[in-house]
Amino acid sequence: GADFSVMFDRTAEYAGWVWTYEQALEVARGMEEYGAYWLEEPFERGDIAKSARLREAVDLYITGGEGDNDIYMFAKYLDNGSFDIVQPDGIRGGGILVCRKIAMMAQAFQKQMIMHGTHGLRVAGWLQVDAASPVTPWQELVFARPYMLPQDAWEPGLKLLHNKDVFTIENGY
Protein backbone atom coordinates (compact mmCIF):
# COMPACT_ATOMS: atom_id res chain seq x y z
CA GLY A 1 0.00 0.00 0.00
CA ALA A 2 0.89 3.65 -0.07
CA ASP A 3 2.18 3.58 3.51
CA PHE A 4 4.68 0.77 2.83
CA SER A 5 8.12 1.59 1.40
CA VAL A 6 10.14 -0.90 -0.62
CA MET A 7 13.90 -0.48 -0.83
CA PHE A 8 16.29 -2.37 -3.10
CA ASP A 9 19.83 -3.13 -1.97
CA ARG A 10 21.96 -3.79 -5.04
CA THR A 11 25.32 -3.76 -3.20
CA ALA A 12 27.01 -4.06 -6.57
CA GLU A 13 30.27 -5.49 -5.31
CA TYR A 14 28.55 -8.58 -3.95
CA ALA A 15 26.16 -9.22 -6.82
CA GLY A 16 28.79 -10.86 -9.00
CA TRP A 17 28.81 -8.12 -11.61
CA VAL A 18 28.64 -4.34 -11.71
CA TRP A 19 26.01 -2.54 -13.75
CA THR A 20 26.89 -0.10 -16.47
CA TYR A 21 25.30 3.31 -16.10
CA GLU A 22 22.77 2.42 -18.81
CA GLN A 23 21.74 -0.80 -17.00
CA ALA A 24 21.36 1.04 -13.70
CA LEU A 25 19.27 3.76 -15.32
CA GLU A 26 16.96 1.20 -16.94
CA VAL A 27 16.47 -0.71 -13.69
CA ALA A 28 16.02 2.46 -11.61
CA ARG A 29 13.38 3.80 -14.00
CA GLY A 30 11.54 0.48 -13.78
CA MET A 31 11.72 0.60 -9.99
CA GLU A 32 10.45 4.16 -9.77
CA GLU A 33 7.55 3.27 -12.07
CA TYR A 34 6.38 0.86 -9.37
CA GLY A 35 6.99 3.23 -6.47
CA ALA A 36 10.30 1.97 -5.10
CA TYR A 37 11.69 4.19 -2.35
CA TRP A 38 15.41 3.68 -2.87
CA LEU A 39 18.11 1.86 -4.78
CA GLU A 40 21.15 1.16 -2.64
CA GLU A 41 24.67 1.01 -4.02
CA PRO A 42 23.95 0.49 -7.71
CA PHE A 43 27.64 0.81 -8.65
CA GLU A 44 31.00 -0.19 -7.23
CA ARG A 45 31.93 1.47 -3.97
CA GLY A 46 33.58 4.80 -4.33
CA ASP A 47 32.04 5.55 -7.73
CA ILE A 48 31.13 9.16 -7.13
CA ALA A 49 30.32 10.21 -10.69
CA LYS A 50 27.95 7.45 -11.85
CA SER A 51 25.97 7.58 -8.61
CA ALA A 52 25.60 11.36 -8.89
CA ARG A 53 24.53 11.10 -12.53
CA LEU A 54 21.93 8.42 -11.73
CA ARG A 55 20.63 10.38 -8.74
CA GLU A 56 20.00 13.37 -11.00
CA ALA A 57 18.22 11.25 -13.62
CA VAL A 58 15.65 9.42 -11.47
CA ASP A 59 13.04 10.21 -8.84
CA LEU A 60 13.77 7.41 -6.39
CA TYR A 61 16.44 7.86 -3.75
CA ILE A 62 19.95 6.61 -4.48
CA THR A 63 21.79 5.53 -1.34
CA GLY A 64 25.17 4.14 -0.37
CA GLY A 65 28.25 4.16 1.77
CA GLU A 66 27.83 1.03 3.90
CA GLY A 67 31.30 -0.27 3.08
CA ASP A 68 33.19 2.97 3.40
CA ASN A 69 35.45 3.48 6.39
CA ASP A 70 36.63 6.99 5.75
CA ILE A 71 34.75 10.11 6.84
CA TYR A 72 36.39 11.95 3.94
CA MET A 73 34.74 9.58 1.44
CA PHE A 74 31.34 10.62 2.81
CA ALA A 75 32.39 14.26 2.40
CA LYS A 76 33.18 13.51 -1.27
CA TYR A 77 29.82 11.76 -1.76
CA LEU A 78 27.96 14.71 -0.27
CA ASP A 79 29.99 17.37 -2.05
CA ASN A 80 29.47 15.67 -5.42
CA GLY A 81 25.78 14.84 -4.92
CA SER A 82 26.36 11.09 -5.21
CA PHE A 83 23.59 10.02 -2.85
CA ASP A 84 20.27 11.29 -1.56
CA ILE A 85 20.86 9.26 1.60
CA VAL A 86 24.26 8.29 3.02
CA GLN A 87 24.43 4.99 4.88
CA PRO A 88 27.49 4.55 7.06
CA ASP A 89 27.98 1.34 8.95
CA GLY A 90 28.50 1.83 12.68
CA ILE A 91 31.49 -0.50 12.78
CA ARG A 92 33.14 -0.07 9.36
CA GLY A 93 32.30 3.64 9.37
CA GLY A 94 34.45 4.31 12.40
CA GLY A 95 32.07 3.99 15.33
CA ILE A 96 29.06 5.89 16.53
CA LEU A 97 30.91 9.20 17.02
CA VAL A 98 32.16 9.19 13.42
CA CYS A 99 28.66 8.27 12.21
CA ARG A 100 27.29 11.21 14.18
CA LYS A 101 29.79 13.45 12.38
CA ILE A 102 28.65 12.02 9.04
CA ALA A 103 25.06 12.85 10.02
CA MET A 104 26.07 16.45 10.68
CA MET A 105 27.75 16.64 7.28
CA ALA A 106 24.60 15.21 5.70
CA GLN A 107 22.53 17.86 7.46
CA ALA A 108 24.80 20.58 6.09
CA PHE A 109 24.13 19.25 2.57
CA GLN A 110 20.39 18.85 3.28
CA LYS A 111 20.59 15.08 2.83
CA GLN A 112 19.43 12.21 4.99
CA MET A 113 21.52 9.60 6.76
CA ILE A 114 20.21 6.16 7.57
CA MET A 115 22.64 3.91 9.39
CA HIS A 116 23.46 0.70 7.54
CA GLY A 117 21.48 -2.27 8.74
CA THR A 118 22.42 -4.22 11.80
CA HIS A 119 20.91 -6.69 14.21
CA GLY A 120 21.50 -7.88 17.73
CA LEU A 121 22.56 -5.56 20.52
CA ARG A 122 24.47 -3.29 18.12
CA VAL A 123 21.07 -1.75 17.39
CA ALA A 124 21.44 0.14 20.69
CA GLY A 125 24.49 2.07 19.46
CA TRP A 126 22.94 2.77 16.08
CA LEU A 127 19.77 4.09 17.73
CA GLN A 128 21.88 6.49 19.80
CA VAL A 129 23.24 7.99 16.59
CA ASP A 130 19.74 8.08 15.10
CA ALA A 131 18.27 9.83 18.13
CA ALA A 132 20.99 12.50 18.06
CA SER A 133 20.73 13.12 14.31
CA PRO A 134 17.92 15.27 12.89
CA VAL A 135 18.47 13.84 9.38
CA THR A 136 18.02 10.20 10.39
CA PRO A 137 14.35 9.24 10.12
CA TRP A 138 14.76 5.45 10.13
CA GLN A 139 16.98 2.60 11.20
CA GLU A 140 17.64 -0.20 8.74
CA LEU A 141 17.45 -3.59 10.47
CA VAL A 142 18.93 -6.80 9.09
CA PHE A 143 17.34 -10.19 9.20
CA ALA A 144 20.47 -12.27 9.74
CA ARG A 145 20.94 -15.83 8.62
CA PRO A 146 19.27 -17.88 9.76
CA TYR A 147 16.46 -15.38 9.22
CA MET A 148 14.97 -14.18 12.47
CA LEU A 149 13.04 -11.26 13.83
CA PRO A 150 15.07 -8.51 15.51
CA GLN A 151 13.72 -9.53 18.93
CA ASP A 152 15.10 -13.03 18.40
CA ALA A 153 18.48 -11.69 17.27
CA TRP A 154 19.10 -9.78 20.48
CA GLU A 155 17.67 -12.44 22.81
CA PRO A 156 21.09 -13.99 23.65
CA GLY A 157 22.35 -10.58 24.80
CA LEU A 158 19.38 -10.15 27.12
CA LYS A 159 20.80 -12.90 29.31
CA LEU A 160 23.95 -10.82 29.78
CA LEU A 161 21.98 -7.68 30.52
CA HIS A 162 19.58 -9.43 32.88
CA ASN A 163 16.70 -7.67 31.13
CA LYS A 164 13.42 -9.07 29.94
CA ASP A 165 13.43 -6.84 26.88
CA VAL A 166 15.63 -4.15 25.35
CA PHE A 167 13.57 -2.87 22.45
CA THR A 168 9.95 -3.26 21.55
CA ILE A 169 8.94 -3.07 17.90
CA GLU A 170 5.34 -2.22 17.15
CA ASN A 171 3.99 -1.54 13.67
CA GLY A 172 7.50 -1.00 12.33
CA TYR A 173 8.48 1.44 15.08
Side-chain angles (χ1 to χ4, degrees):
D3 63 340
F4 189 85
S5 299
V6 177
M7 293 87 151
F8 292 90
D9 187 347
R10 166 76 171 130
T11 312
E13 292 185 355
Y14 297 115
W17 79 97
V18 177
W19 286 339
T20 64
Y21 174 79
E22 291 73 22
Q23 289 170 318
L25 180 62
E26 182 180 357
V27 171
R29 286 201 171 132
M31 288 178 173
E32 71 183 354
E33 182 180 334
Y34 289 96
Y37 189 78
W38 82 36
L39 173 57
E40 184 176 339
E41 298 201 338
F43 305 110
E44 52 272 301
R45 291 202 172 122
D47 191 319
I48 294 168
K50 279 193 279 190
S51 294
R53 186 174 164 205
L54 183 63
R55 189 190 63 75
E56 285 291 324
V58 298
D59 289 329
L60 76 156
Y61 291 126
I62 304 300
T63 73
E66 73 181 55
D68 291 293
N69 59 3
D70 183 345
I71 194 169
Y72 302 104
M73 193 67 211
F74 285 94
K76 289 178 186 177
Y77 288 144
L78 290 163
D79 191 42
N80 288 281
S82 300
F83 300 123
D84 296 292
I85 301 169
V86 290
Q87 290 189 277
D89 182 270
I91 294 174
R92 284 178 270 184
I96 61 175
L97 178 59
V98 171
C99 290
R100 170 77 171 114
K101 291 177 181 180
I102 293 168
M104 302 304 7
M105 285 192 305
Q107 183 178 18
F109 282 90
Q110 299 178 345
K111 300 293 182 188
Q112 291 183 345
M113 182 191 86
I114 297 175
M115 296 281 291
H116 174 244
T118 192
H119 62 86
L121 292 179
R122 287 185 289 193
V123 172
W126 277 232
L127 289 175
Q128 295 221 9
V129 175
D130 299 340
S133 304
V135 295
T136 305
W138 294 352
Q139 173 57 58
E140 181 183 34
L141 295 177
V142 173
F143 295 107
R145 289 188 182 118
Y147 298 105
M148 61 180 70
L149 294 172
Q151 303 89 296
D152 298 330
W154 56 61
E155 186 176 335
L158 297 178
K159 294 175 186 171
L160 296 172
L161 297 174
H162 304 291
N163 286 0
K164 180 181 162 217
D165 197 13
V166 177
F167 308 107
T168 302
I169 297 176
E170 289 184 29
N171 299 320
Y173 294 92

